[in-house]
Amino acid sequence: MTDNITLRRGAIAAARQIIVKAGTRLLIDRESVAKLVRGIAELRKSGRQVLLVSSGAVGMGMELAGVSRRPGELAQKQALAALGQTKLMSIYAEEAEKYGFRVAQLLLTAADLRSRSRYLNVMNCINALWERDILPIANENDSVSVDELKFGDNDTLAGMLTSVTGADLTILLTTVDGLRDRREDGSLGDRIAVVDKVTERLKALAGGTDDSNFSIGGMASKLRAAELATAAGAYLWIADGRRPDVIGEMLAAADTGTLFLPRQHRVSGRKRWVGFFSRVSGQLAIDSGAAEAVISGGKSLLPSGVTAVSGAFRRGDTVEIVAPDGRVIARGLVNFDAGQLNAVRRKHSAEITALLGTEVETEAVHRDNLVLLES
């Protein structure tokens, strides 16, 4: 592998659009927010467009309300988020004004990205803000979100917004100095400087990084964000946001934190939506020949390679494609409803025409509507 510093220089040199996420434990007072805005101003001064994913609304609400422990009841968390969000944004606006730029708030739920039209609206809004040289500040809409509409945490939201915007680099500022190896006794070992692929072993290393009294993120969620960002062709960099000039160090390609390398091929915008945001309605199990054709050959998935169909999907819905060993290797927009595909699976074109007529597709999922989830 290319040496560590060269890889970091490459990540910074490639980064024209950057997503920065700051965790709750980094936004404990006005001084910490001011430090974050100062770092973002440095990124902007270097000619880069930045979007900030900011946690801290519930934490700020807890401070304002004199609450010491994050409540478990949904309505109480929503109330604290509503209270804290206005205060947090006012601080961001005042601090940004010192550097001559303005901020705008984006409150999102997962439903905003699952819908293709709303996904495009979010993307267009961010681009319009960037065109006006305004810093978008995104957060999960905690005051209205319920479990089925939640991203889970702002690490995941940052990874998703990397995909939405086509950003080149995601920076996750947290309270640890990156991903750490583990010794045989379970204690933390050396920092892992560079990761070229998120593996099951790395996931096993992940542990909580934040105080659950205030926040819900942990290293596992950061690895999920890394999977999303790198699959979209971006770098992701985890670093210790408590360091006085951490963003300046990153701009200088310093050996700090953990850098995750992008997958080799950047996925197009439409395919990013299919692969990471659209709601999955079913699964297609395929044989080894079809798996090889899809993964290595860049081919469409044909009905002849489908061994089993599950789910109640319609034509145009998103389905997962499952290899013989049980791995979900791809997602795609299916050309048949579940009943039709179950009838024609394992069959070839002439047999399909005989069963369904000439006005049907010959591919179960066309390669233009198919996204590989691993490379």
Side-chain angles (χ1 to χ4, degrees):
M1 182 186 292
T2 309
D3 75 86
N4 177 21
I5 299 303
T6 300
L7 289 169
R8 291 167 190 269
R9 287 173 179 158
I12 290 299
R16 303 267 62 84
Q17 295 177 332
I18 300 175
I19 309 296
V20 176
K21 182 263 177 178
T24 296
R25 297 301 298 169
L26 298 177
L27 303 172
I28 56 176
D29 53 30
R30 186 178 190 114
E31 183 180 346
S32 60
V33 174
K35 185 182 79 168
L36 174 62
V37 174
R38 184 167 63 249
I40 289 172
E42 193 172 352
L43 289 175
R44 287 169 50 88
K45 187 177 179 180
S46 68
R48 295 165 168 91
Q49 294 175 316
V50 182
L51 181 149
L52 172 63
V53 177
S54 173
S55 300
V58 175
M60 185 69 73
M62 290 168 61
E63 293 291 335
L64 292 171
V67 176
S68 61
R69 242 185 129 68
R70 189 182 184 96
E73 185 182 344
L74 176 61
Q76 294 299 320
K77 285 187 286 191
Q78 290 173 328
L80 291 173
L83 174 64
Q85 192 67 45
T86 54
K87 179 65 174 178
L88 185 60
M89 285 304 299
S90 71
I91 296 174
Y92 276 127
E94 291 165 9
E95 292 299 326
E97 189 176 358
K98 297 176 182 177
Y99 300 94
F101 64 90
R102 293 173 294 162
V103 302
Q105 183 180 50
L106 295 174
L107 294 177
L108 302 171
T109 68
D112 295 318
L113 301 184
R114 288 177 186 154
S115 160
R116 176 66 176 165
S117 61
R118 289 161 71 177
Y119 170 97
L120 292 173
N121 288 339
V122 171
M123 181 177 69
N124 291 337
C125 178
I126 292 168
N127 286 331
L129 290 169
W130 276 342
E131 287 171 6
R132 293 175 179 270
D133 199 31
I134 295 170
L135 172 69
I137 300 180
N139 192 5
E140 180 147 25
N141 195 351
D142 290 318
S143 61
V144 300
S145 286
V146 291
D147 284 346
E148 62 268 25
L149 297 180
K150 291 181 73 66
F151 296 102
D153 53 71
N154 274 342
D155 294 321
T156 300
L157 176 56
M160 287 185 166
L161 286 174
T162 303
S163 183
V164 169
T165 61
D168 310 294
L169 170 64
T170 299
I171 295 172
L172 300 183
L173 298 177
T174 184
T175 54
V176 294
D177 62 349
L179 183 63
R180 303 278 293 279
D181 210 337
R182 287 191 183 272
R183 303 184 182 93
E184 291 185 5
D185 63 3
S187 61
L188 290 176
D190 295 335
R191 172 177 59 93
I192 300 173
V194 176
V195 173
D196 60 358
K197 185 177 181 180
V198 177
T199 62
E200 293 304 316
R201 177 184 175 275
L202 286 180
K203 291 177 184 179
L205 296 178
T209 62
D210 296 312
D211 183 348
S212 61
N213 285 344
F214 283 86
S215 58
I216 58 175
M219 191 56 72
S221 71
K222 289 165 181 57
L223 292 183
R224 171 60 178 155
E227 288 182 303
L228 288 166
T230 57
Y235 292 88
L236 183 135
W237 198 332
I238 300 173
D240 189 346
R242 299 168 301 180
R243 297 174 68 89
D245 186 29
V246 64
I247 290 179
E249 291 175 355
M250 298 169 93
L251 277 170
D255 181 15
T256 186
T258 299
L259 179 68
F260 293 77
L261 305 184
R263 276 170 48 168
Q264 187 173 2
H265 302 293
R266 180 180 288 272
V267 180
S268 67
R270 182 169 178 273
K271 284 193 173 185
R272 289 200 298 271
W273 178 79
V274 172
F276 308 121
F277 302 102
S278 60
R279 187 183 293 276
V280 174
S281 300
Q283 285 191 331
L284 309 182
I286 63 175
D287 62 29
S288 57
E292 176 68 18
V294 167
I295 295 173
S296 301
K299 304 294 186 182
S300 299
L301 174 62
L302 302 179
S304 58
V306 177
T307 59
V309 174
S310 61
F313 54 83
R314 297 175 296 178
R315 172 184 165 85
D317 284 350
T318 300
V319 294
E320 291 179 331
I321 298 170
V322 183
D325 62 3
R327 290 176 299 136
V328 177
I329 60 170
R331 281 188 182 182
L333 303 181
V334 68
N335 285 330
F336 299 87
D337 66 36
Q340 288 176 323
L341 189 50
N342 206 36
V344 300
R345 66 182 176 86
R346 311 302 285 164
K347 292 181 170 54
H348 297 279
S349 298
E351 298 172 285
I352 294 170
T353 300
L355 278 170
L356 302 179
T358 57
E359 301 298 320
V360 296
E361 306 286 349
T362 57
E363 303 93 358
V365 179
H366 193 277
R367 64 185 179 184
D368 291 344
N369 296 321
L370 187 150
V371 183
L372 291 177
L373 299 182
E374 53 182 56
S375 61

mmCIF file of all heavy atoms in Angstrom, residues 302-334:
data_model
loop_
_atom_site.group_PDB
_atom_site.id
_atom_site.type_symbol
_atom_site.label_atom_id
_atom_site.label_comp_id
_atom_site.label_asym_id
_atom_site.label_seq_id
_atom_site.Cartn_x
_atom_site.Cartn_y
_atom_site.Cartn_z
ATOM 1 N N LEU A 302 -29.992 -12.075 -14.993
ATOM 2 C CA LEU A 302 -31.030 -12.716 -15.806
ATOM 3 C C LEU A 302 -31.901 -13.623 -14.934
ATOM 4 O O LEU A 302 -31.424 -14.180 -13.932
ATOM 5 C CB LEU A 302 -30.390 -13.529 -16.924
ATOM 6 C CG LEU A 302 -29.480 -12.759 -17.880
ATOM 7 C CD1 LEU A 302 -28.888 -13.702 -18.921
ATOM 8 C CD2 LEU A 302 -30.223 -11.607 -18.535
ATOM 9 N N PRO A 303 -33.169 -13.818 -15.312
ATOM 10 C CA PRO A 303 -34.034 -14.719 -14.543
ATOM 11 C C PRO A 303 -33.466 -16.127 -14.421
ATOM 12 O O PRO A 303 -33.697 -16.802 -13.413
ATOM 13 C CB PRO A 303 -35.335 -14.714 -15.351
ATOM 14 C CG PRO A 303 -35.358 -13.382 -16.017
ATOM 15 C CD PRO A 303 -33.927 -13.104 -16.366
ATOM 16 N N SER A 304 -32.693 -16.557 -15.415
ATOM 17 C CA SER A 304 -32.141 -17.920 -15.382
ATOM 18 C C SER A 304 -31.194 -18.124 -14.211
ATOM 19 O O SER A 304 -30.983 -19.261 -13.771
ATOM 20 C CB SER A 304 -31.416 -18.233 -16.689
ATOM 21 O OG SER A 304 -30.374 -17.295 -16.916
ATOM 22 N N GLY A 305 -30.607 -17.042 -13.697
ATOM 23 C CA GLY A 305 -29.681 -17.161 -12.578
ATOM 24 C C GLY A 305 -30.322 -17.027 -11.219
ATOM 25 O O GLY A 305 -29.656 -17.184 -10.192
ATOM 26 N N VAL A 306 -31.634 -16.766 -11.178
ATOM 27 C CA VAL A 306 -32.344 -16.568 -9.909
ATOM 28 C C VAL A 306 -32.823 -17.913 -9.389
ATOM 29 O O VAL A 306 -33.555 -18.634 -10.079
ATOM 30 C CB VAL A 306 -33.530 -15.601 -10.081
ATOM 31 C CG1 VAL A 306 -34.307 -15.464 -8.776
ATOM 32 C CG2 VAL A 306 -33.047 -14.238 -10.564
ATOM 33 N N THR A 307 -32.424 -18.259 -8.170
ATOM 34 C CA THR A 307 -32.797 -19.557 -7.594
ATOM 35 C C THR A 307 -33.980 -19.467 -6.638
ATOM 36 O O THR A 307 -34.667 -20.463 -6.411
ATOM 37 C CB THR A 307 -31.601 -20.170 -6.848
ATOM 38 O OG1 THR A 307 -31.184 -19.281 -5.811
ATOM 39 C CG2 THR A 307 -30.434 -20.412 -7.809
ATOM 40 N N ALA A 308 -34.213 -18.299 -6.047
ATOM 41 C CA ALA A 308 -35.327 -18.141 -5.113
ATOM 42 C C ALA A 308 -35.735 -16.676 -5.055
ATOM 43 O O ALA A 308 -34.911 -15.777 -5.242
ATOM 44 C CB ALA A 308 -34.946 -18.636 -3.716
ATOM 45 N N VAL A 309 -37.013 -16.455 -4.770
ATOM 46 C CA VAL A 309 -37.583 -15.112 -4.706
ATOM 47 C C VAL A 309 -38.296 -14.958 -3.374
ATOM 48 O O VAL A 309 -39.075 -15.836 -2.973
ATOM 49 C CB VAL A 309 -38.584 -14.873 -5.859
ATOM 50 C CG1 VAL A 309 -39.276 -13.524 -5.712
ATOM 51 C CG2 VAL A 309 -37.888 -14.985 -7.215
ATOM 52 N N SER A 310 -38.041 -13.860 -2.667
ATOM 53 C CA SER A 310 -38.766 -13.599 -1.421
ATOM 54 C C SER A 310 -39.189 -12.141 -1.377
ATOM 55 O O SER A 310 -38.533 -11.264 -1.940
ATOM 56 C CB SER A 310 -37.907 -13.937 -0.200
ATOM 57 O OG SER A 310 -36.733 -13.152 -0.172
ATOM 58 N N GLY A 311 -40.306 -11.876 -0.705
ATOM 59 C CA GLY A 311 -40.825 -10.523 -0.601
ATOM 60 C C GLY A 311 -42.011 -10.303 -1.520
ATOM 61 O O GLY A 311 -42.241 -11.073 -2.468
ATOM 62 N N ALA A 312 -42.756 -9.237 -1.248
ATOM 63 C CA ALA A 312 -43.946 -8.899 -2.041
ATOM 64 C C ALA A 312 -43.661 -7.620 -2.817
ATOM 65 O O ALA A 312 -44.244 -6.565 -2.551
ATOM 66 C CB ALA A 312 -45.159 -8.730 -1.136
ATOM 67 N N PHE A 313 -42.754 -7.689 -3.785
ATOM 68 C CA PHE A 313 -42.344 -6.500 -4.517
ATOM 69 C C PHE A 313 -43.080 -6.376 -5.850
ATOM 70 O O PHE A 313 -43.629 -7.346 -6.378
ATOM 71 C CB PHE A 313 -40.827 -6.505 -4.754
ATOM 72 C CG PHE A 313 -40.292 -7.749 -5.411
ATOM 73 C CD1 PHE A 313 -40.330 -7.918 -6.785
ATOM 74 C CD2 PHE A 313 -39.726 -8.759 -4.642
ATOM 75 C CE1 PHE A 313 -39.822 -9.064 -7.389
ATOM 76 C CE2 PHE A 313 -39.216 -9.912 -5.231
ATOM 77 C CZ PHE A 313 -39.270 -10.069 -6.607
ATOM 78 N N ARG A 314 -43.061 -5.144 -6.372
ATOM 79 C CA ARG A 314 -43.636 -4.848 -7.668
ATOM 80 C C ARG A 314 -42.525 -4.448 -8.637
ATOM 81 O O ARG A 314 -41.413 -4.141 -8.214
ATOM 82 C CB ARG A 314 -44.664 -3.717 -7.560
ATOM 83 C CG ARG A 314 -45.854 -4.047 -6.685
ATOM 84 C CD ARG A 314 -46.773 -2.848 -6.520
ATOM 85 N NE ARG A 314 -46.101 -1.758 -5.813
ATOM 86 C CZ ARG A 314 -46.649 -0.584 -5.555
ATOM 87 N NH1 ARG A 314 -47.888 -0.322 -5.973
ATOM 88 N NH2 ARG A 314 -45.984 0.353 -4.903
ATOM 89 N N ARG A 315 -42.836 -4.445 -9.919
ATOM 90 C CA ARG A 315 -41.880 -3.983 -10.920
ATOM 91 C C ARG A 315 -41.416 -2.570 -10.544
ATOM 92 O O ARG A 315 -42.220 -1.697 -10.204
ATOM 93 C CB ARG A 315 -42.538 -3.957 -12.300
ATOM 94 C CG ARG A 315 -41.697 -3.319 -13.402
ATOM 95 C CD ARG A 315 -42.500 -3.261 -14.695
ATOM 96 N NE ARG A 315 -41.882 -2.357 -15.665
ATOM 97 C CZ ARG A 315 -40.913 -2.698 -16.508
ATOM 98 N NH1 ARG A 315 -40.458 -3.944 -16.521
ATOM 99 N NH2 ARG A 315 -40.414 -1.821 -17.356
ATOM 100 N N GLY A 316 -40.102 -2.335 -10.590
ATOM 101 C CA GLY A 316 -39.543 -1.034 -10.258
ATOM 102 C C GLY A 316 -39.138 -0.892 -8.814
ATOM 103 O O GLY A 316 -38.476 0.090 -8.448
ATOM 104 N N ASP A 317 -39.502 -1.852 -7.943
ATOM 105 C CA ASP A 317 -39.078 -1.811 -6.545
ATOM 106 C C ASP A 317 -37.604 -2.199 -6.418
ATOM 107 O O ASP A 317 -37.014 -2.803 -7.330
ATOM 108 C CB ASP A 317 -39.923 -2.761 -5.693
ATOM 109 C CG ASP A 317 -41.308 -2.208 -5.392
ATOM 110 O OD1 ASP A 317 -41.542 -1.026 -5.672
ATOM 111 O OD2 ASP A 317 -42.151 -2.977 -4.885
ATOM 112 N N THR A 318 -37.031 -1.893 -5.263
ATOM 113 C CA THR A 318 -35.643 -2.258 -4.990
ATOM 114 C C THR A 318 -35.580 -3.622 -4.320
ATOM 115 O O THR A 318 -36.319 -3.893 -3.366
ATOM 116 C CB THR A 318 -34.975 -1.223 -4.072
ATOM 117 O OG1 THR A 318 -35.000 0.053 -4.714
ATOM 118 C CG2 THR A 318 -33.526 -1.592 -3.780
ATOM 119 N N VAL A 319 -34.692 -4.483 -4.829
ATOM 120 C CA VAL A 319 -34.487 -5.802 -4.234
ATOM 121 C C VAL A 319 -33.003 -5.997 -3.946
ATOM 122 O O VAL A 319 -32.149 -5.391 -4.596
ATOM 123 C CB VAL A 319 -34.980 -6.938 -5.160
ATOM 124 C CG1 VAL A 319 -36.490 -6.880 -5.324
ATOM 125 C CG2 VAL A 319 -34.285 -6.893 -6.515
ATOM 126 N N GLU A 320 -32.721 -6.825 -2.949
ATOM 127 C CA GLU A 320 -31.348 -7.239 -2.676
ATOM 128 C C GLU A 320 -31.041 -8.495 -3.469
ATOM 129 O O GLU A 320 -31.909 -9.349 -3.668
ATOM 130 C CB GLU A 320 -31.163 -7.515 -1.186
ATOM 131 C CG GLU A 320 -31.242 -6.264 -0.320
ATOM 132 C CD GLU A 320 -31.070 -6.566 1.149
ATOM 133 O OE1 GLU A 320 -31.423 -7.689 1.578
ATOM 134 O OE2 GLU A 320 -30.597 -5.666 1.869
ATOM 135 N N ILE A 321 -29.793 -8.608 -3.892
ATOM 136 C CA ILE A 321 -29.327 -9.771 -4.642
ATOM 137 C C ILE A 321 -28.352 -10.535 -3.752
ATOM 138 O O ILE A 321 -27.353 -9.968 -3.282
ATOM 139 C CB ILE A 321 -28.672 -9.346 -5.959
ATOM 140 C CG1 ILE A 321 -29.721 -8.613 -6.828
ATOM 141 C CG2 ILE A 321 -28.099 -10.547 -6.700
ATOM 142 C CD1 ILE A 321 -29.142 -7.942 -8.050
ATOM 143 N N VAL A 322 -28.671 -11.804 -3.502
ATOM 144 C CA VAL A 322 -27.960 -12.591 -2.488
ATOM 145 C C VAL A 322 -27.200 -13.731 -3.154
ATOM 146 O O VAL A 322 -27.779 -14.551 -3.898
ATOM 147 C CB VAL A 322 -28.957 -13.162 -1.451
ATOM 148 C CG1 VAL A 322 -28.207 -13.913 -0.359
ATOM 149 C CG2 VAL A 322 -29.804 -12.052 -0.858
ATOM 150 N N ALA A 323 -25.885 -13.793 -2.901
ATOM 151 C CA ALA A 323 -25.030 -14.837 -3.455
ATOM 152 C C ALA A 323 -25.302 -16.180 -2.770
ATOM 153 O O ALA A 323 -25.934 -16.225 -1.700
ATOM 154 C CB ALA A 323 -23.565 -14.442 -3.289
ATOM 155 N N PRO A 324 -24.817 -17.289 -3.340
ATOM 156 C CA PRO A 324 -25.049 -18.603 -2.728
ATOM 157 C C PRO A 324 -24.544 -18.730 -1.290
ATOM 158 O O PRO A 324 -25.081 -19.525 -0.510
ATOM 159 C CB PRO A 324 -24.293 -19.560 -3.660
ATOM 160 C CG PRO A 324 -24.299 -18.873 -4.984
ATOM 161 C CD PRO A 324 -24.165 -17.413 -4.662
ATOM 162 N N ASP A 325 -23.515 -17.956 -0.924
ATOM 163 C CA ASP A 325 -22.992 -18.049 0.445
ATOM 164 C C ASP A 325 -23.741 -17.149 1.429
ATOM 165 O O ASP A 325 -23.357 -17.042 2.596
ATOM 166 C CB ASP A 325 -21.499 -17.722 0.479
ATOM 167 C CG ASP A 325 -21.179 -16.299 0.019
ATOM 168 O OD1 ASP A 325 -22.127 -15.538 -0.269
ATOM 169 O OD2 ASP A 325 -19.981 -15.955 -0.051
ATOM 170 N N GLY A 326 -24.814 -16.500 0.977
ATOM 171 C CA GLY A 326 -25.634 -15.683 1.859
ATOM 172 C C GLY A 326 -25.278 -14.211 1.894
ATOM 173 O O GLY A 326 -25.969 -13.421 2.531
ATOM 174 N N ARG A 327 -24.204 -13.802 1.199
ATOM 175 C CA ARG A 327 -23.821 -12.391 1.169
ATOM 176 C C ARG A 327 -24.772 -11.593 0.288
ATOM 177 O O ARG A 327 -25.114 -12.036 -0.814
ATOM 178 C CB ARG A 327 -22.414 -12.221 0.615
ATOM 179 C CG ARG A 327 -21.301 -12.713 1.504
ATOM 180 C CD ARG A 327 -19.957 -12.567 0.770
ATOM 181 N NE ARG A 327 -19.938 -13.369 -0.444
ATOM 182 C CZ ARG A 327 -19.467 -12.942 -1.612
ATOM 183 N NH1 ARG A 327 -18.988 -11.708 -1.727
ATOM 184 N NH2 ARG A 327 -19.471 -13.737 -2.671
ATOM 185 N N VAL A 328 -25.180 -10.432 0.773
ATOM 186 C CA VAL A 328 -25.920 -9.507 -0.078
ATOM 187 C C VAL A 328 -24.888 -8.755 -0.909
ATOM 188 O O VAL A 328 -24.121 -7.941 -0.391
ATOM 189 C CB VAL A 328 -26.767 -8.521 0.744
ATOM 190 C CG1 VAL A 328 -27.473 -7.528 -0.168
ATOM 191 C CG2 VAL A 328 -27.790 -9.277 1.586
ATOM 192 N N ILE A 329 -24.821 -9.040 -2.200
ATOM 193 C CA ILE A 329 -23.754 -8.498 -3.045
ATOM 194 C C ILE A 329 -24.186 -7.273 -3.843
ATOM 195 O O ILE A 329 -23.343 -6.536 -4.353
ATOM 196 C CB ILE A 329 -23.220 -9.572 -4.021
ATOM 197 C CG1 ILE A 329 -24.343 -10.083 -4.929
ATOM 198 C CG2 ILE A 329 -22.550 -10.700 -3.254
ATOM 199 C CD1 ILE A 329 -23.846 -10.957 -6.073
ATOM 200 N N ALA A 330 -25.504 -7.057 -3.961
ATOM 201 C CA ALA A 330 -25.960 -5.943 -4.794
ATOM 202 C C ALA A 330 -27.396 -5.586 -4.454
ATOM 203 O O ALA A 330 -28.112 -6.339 -3.789
ATOM 204 C CB ALA A 330 -25.840 -6.302 -6.274
ATOM 205 N N ARG A 331 -27.794 -4.404 -4.918
ATOM 206 C CA ARG A 331 -29.190 -3.982 -4.920
ATOM 207 C C ARG A 331 -29.548 -3.528 -6.324
ATOM 208 O O ARG A 331 -28.679 -3.076 -7.080
ATOM 209 C CB ARG A 331 -29.416 -2.818 -3.964
ATOM 210 C CG ARG A 331 -29.527 -3.175 -2.506
ATOM 211 C CD ARG A 331 -29.935 -1.926 -1.743
ATOM 212 N NE ARG A 331 -30.018 -2.153 -0.307
ATOM 213 C CZ ARG A 331 -30.391 -1.225 0.564
ATOM 214 N NH1 ARG A 331 -30.702 -0.001 0.133
ATOM 215 N NH2 ARG A 331 -30.460 -1.489 1.839
ATOM 216 N N GLY A 332 -30.833 -3.612 -6.653
ATOM 217 C CA GLY A 332 -31.227 -3.141 -7.971
ATOM 218 C C GLY A 332 -32.725 -2.970 -8.091
ATOM 219 O O GLY A 332 -33.496 -3.411 -7.228
ATOM 220 N N LEU A 333 -33.140 -2.311 -9.173
ATOM 221 C CA LEU A 333 -34.559 -2.123 -9.472
ATOM 222 C C LEU A 333 -35.018 -3.293 -10.334
ATOM 223 O O LEU A 333 -34.501 -3.515 -11.435
ATOM 224 C CB LEU A 333 -34.771 -0.794 -10.208
ATOM 225 C CG LEU A 333 -34.263 0.463 -9.493
ATOM 226 C CD1 LEU A 333 -34.556 1.709 -10.325
ATOM 227 C CD2 LEU A 333 -34.879 0.587 -8.105
ATOM 228 N N VAL A 334 -35.989 -4.029 -9.860
ATOM 229 C CA VAL A 334 -36.406 -5.278 -10.491
ATOM 230 C C VAL A 334 -37.397 -5.008 -11.625
ATOM 231 O O VAL A 334 -38.205 -4.079 -11.558
ATOM 232 C CB VAL A 334 -36.988 -6.237 -9.429
ATOM 233 C CG1 VAL A 334 -38.317 -5.715 -8.873
ATOM 234 C CG2 VAL A 334 -37.123 -7.646 -9.973
#
